Amino acid sequence: MDLELRDKRVFVSGSSSGIGAGIARYLAAEGTQVVVHGRNTERLELVRSELAETGADVVAAPGDLATDEGAEHAASIALEAFGGIDILVNNAGGSSPDHRKSWFDLPLGEWSATYEMNVVAAGRLIHRFVPGMRERQWGRVIQISSAAGIIPTSGQPDYGPAKAAMINLSMGLSKALAATGITVNTVTPGMIMTEGLMNFLRAFAAKRGWGEDTDRAAEYVLKGCGQTVDRIGQVEDIAYAVAFLASPKGSFLNGVNLHVDGGGTQSIY
């Protein structure tokens, strides 16, 4: 299927690895002009050069979106390269590196930092790119949330609420941009095979005396996670969903929170 994305200008935040890199690869393959972004310039350059070797029109825009200066630096590179952005994918985020994940042990300043690197970071790019979309009467804004934003856990006092706010952000912004030609949606991944998940599976296997048998660990985790699809998701699963929402063919979806989680979110929505 031709998604009619050729020559659309895309900014994918947090695309120096993982889900973001997968989204950038897929959109580049659809013929878009892509801005890849990240804080680690070495990893960012690896993704940029990989896409460039496929013939993609790609630019690297480093910057820490948790600061005004970092966001402005990255956005300026994108605008100078392509003159505007048609599709903004707010994938950058994360949580506090503090290992004290108890609701009462994690310092409150870390809660603020997590909100800043997820929600406010998205807001900075929205402020920078969406006015141009309004002038052109076409655009797409897609937030990447997490199952943690829908199903609260006992051990994510900062991350889960921040990701829930991303879902709220999409719905509110979709209403603020009603009848402008811009749609705003969320993709909420479940368990996706990234470097972070692989590290978790290694630790899980080692803790149970299974050595490096990550397949056994994955099978065990799958049985207990509530999924109705019997496999771990791949970054391409998220990329497919983003590409459809970004395309003109997805124009009747607005304010949607699309769960791409193998049926793991057991709710009516």
Side-chain angles (χ1 to χ4, degrees):
M1 178 188 295
D2 179 9
L3 292 177
E4 302 173 17
L5 286 169
R6 184 163 297 280
D7 296 328
K8 295 294 186 186
R9 300 163 295 182
V10 180
F11 188 108
V12 184
S13 71
S15 49
S16 60
S17 63
I19 288 174
I23 292 170
R25 290 186 188 102
Y26 192 82
L27 292 177
E30 288 291 319
T32 65
Q33 298 173 296
V34 180
V35 180
V36 291
H37 158 267
R39 291 176 297 180
N40 185 310
T41 55
E42 184 176 342
R43 290 193 307 184
L44 184 61
E45 176 55 26
L46 286 175
V47 175
R48 188 208 65 78
S49 60
E50 173 197 336
L51 294 182
E53 287 175 4
T54 69
D57 190 355
V58 57
V59 170
D64 183 357
L65 302 182
T67 69
D68 290 339
E69 297 77 13
E72 178 59 30
H73 178 69
S76 295
I77 291 172
L79 294 174
E80 183 177 351
F82 296 140
I85 293 296
D86 304 303
I87 299 165
L88 169 61
V89 182
N90 280 312
N91 170 73
S95 63
S96 167
D98 196 311
H99 296 294
R100 293 172 293 171
K101 290 298 184 180
S102 161
W103 280 75
F104 302 101
D105 291 335
L106 186 68
L108 291 178
E110 296 300 315
W111 295 34
S112 301
T114 298
Y115 190 86
E116 187 84 30
M117 73 174 74
N118 288 273
V119 186
V120 183
R124 289 186 173 101
L125 295 181
I126 288 166
H127 276 221
R128 199 66 175 86
F129 296 138
V130 170
M133 297 180 192
R134 294 190 71 164
E135 290 178 7
R136 296 185 294 274
Q137 292 289 287
W138 197 94
R140 300 287 186 265
V141 182
I142 300 168
Q143 275 61 246
I144 307 299
S145 183
S146 166
I150 303 170
I151 305 176
T153 71
S154 62
Q156 295 178 308
D158 56 334
Y159 183 70
K163 286 302 186 180
M166 297 290 283
I167 300 168
N168 188 289
L169 180 157
S170 286
M171 177 62 78
L173 184 59
S174 73
K175 294 178 178 181
L177 294 172
T180 63
I182 304 167
T183 63
V184 188
N185 294 292
T186 304
V187 172
T188 294
M191 188 162 48
I192 305 298
M193 186 55 75
T194 60
E195 181 181 349
L197 178 58
M198 182 54 73
N199 289 338
F200 167 78
L201 292 174
R202 289 192 186 101
F204 192 92
K207 185 176 181 180
R208 282 155 182 77
W210 300 341
E212 298 182 2
D213 193 347
T214 54
D215 288 341
R216 184 177 179 183
E219 182 180 0
Y220 185 94
V221 171
L222 271 173
K223 287 180 178 178
C225 74
Q227 274 191 204
T228 52
V229 176
D230 189 24
R231 69 174 176 86
I232 291 176
Q234 302 298 314
V235 293
E236 291 81 8
D237 293 312
I238 307 304
Y240 302 151
V242 169
F244 177 70
L245 291 174
S247 78
K249 296 184 185 299
S251 63
F252 204 53
L253 294 173
N254 200 17
V256 165
N257 178 21
L258 183 58
H259 300 195
V260 186
D261 60 4
T265 306
Q266 299 175 354
S267 60
I268 297 172
Y269 51 90

